[in-house]
Amino acid sequence: MHGRELRGLLHPFLLLLIHERPGHGYDLIERLETMGVPDIEPGHVYRVLRGLERDRSLNSAWETDGAGPARRCYQLTAKGRDDLRSWIAHLAQLRQLIDVCLRRSADAVDGAGGGHGDPYAAIRG
C-alpha cells in the first residue's frame, strides 16, 4: 500500500503511536514507516497533528534539550485516549467489513475457475 491510500487513517495511527510514546513529528513519521505506513508526506502528518491538537486530542510543547533545533513534542490527552478508543471500535467494524469482502471475493474466485489461471478474472468480469 502507498502512503496516500492510508492518509485517512493517520488520525488513529498517530493517536496510537503517541499513546505508546510521546514524540515529535519526524520521530512519528519514522515510527509510521516501521508500522508499515510508507510514503507519508511530512506536511500532511503535521497538518493532522495540528488538527488533533486543535481538537484537544493532543498537547504539545517545545523540547529544547540536546543538540539541534527545538522540536515540538506531542502527548495524548484524556480526550485523545477516548478518541483512540472510538477509532479502535470503528477500525474493528471496518475490519469485519473487509473480512466479509475478502471471503466473498475468494468464493467468487474459487467458484469461477477452480483456482487455475487468473485468480482475479471473476472479479474483473
Side-chain angles (χ1 to χ4, degrees), residues 14-22 28 58 74-76:
L14 288 169
L15 289 171
L16 174 63
L17 291 175
I18 295 167
H19 175 72
E20 291 174 343
R21 183 180 82 235
L28 293 165
L58 301 178
Y74 296 91
Q75 294 184 2
L76 208 60

Side-chain angles (χ1 to χ4, degrees), residues 11-106:
H11 286 81
F13 292 168
L14 288 169
L15 289 171
L16 174 63
L17 291 175
I18 295 167
H19 175 72
E20 291 174 343
R21 183 180 82 235
H24 57 84
Y26 278 104
D27 169 57
L28 293 165
I29 291 167
E30 288 175 358
R31 289 164 58 196
L32 282 167
E33 288 177 2
T34 63
M35 189 177 167
V37 183
D39 305 325
I40 294 293
E41 298 171 21
H44 187 69
V45 171
Y46 282 105
R47 282 189 295 280
V48 171
L49 288 168
R50 284 193 301 273
L52 288 169
E53 192 170 15
R54 262 192 318 275
D55 292 343
R56 293 191 166 86
S57 297
L58 301 178
N59 285 328
S60 70
W62 287 102
E63 246 182 27
T64 56
D65 299 343
R71 300 181 290 194
R72 189 174 289 274
C73 185
Y74 296 91
Q75 294 184 2
L76 208 60
T77 64
K79 181 183 182 307
R81 283 187 291 280
D82 291 342
D83 291 347
L84 178 57
R85 284 185 198 100
S86 294
W87 267 108
I88 289 169
H90 177 76
L91 291 173
Q93 290 174 337
L94 181 59
R95 180 182 179 181
Q96 288 176 345
L97 179 61
I98 290 170
D99 287 345
V100 167
C101 180
L102 291 173
R103 278 193 305 273
R104 289 180 68 165
S105 65

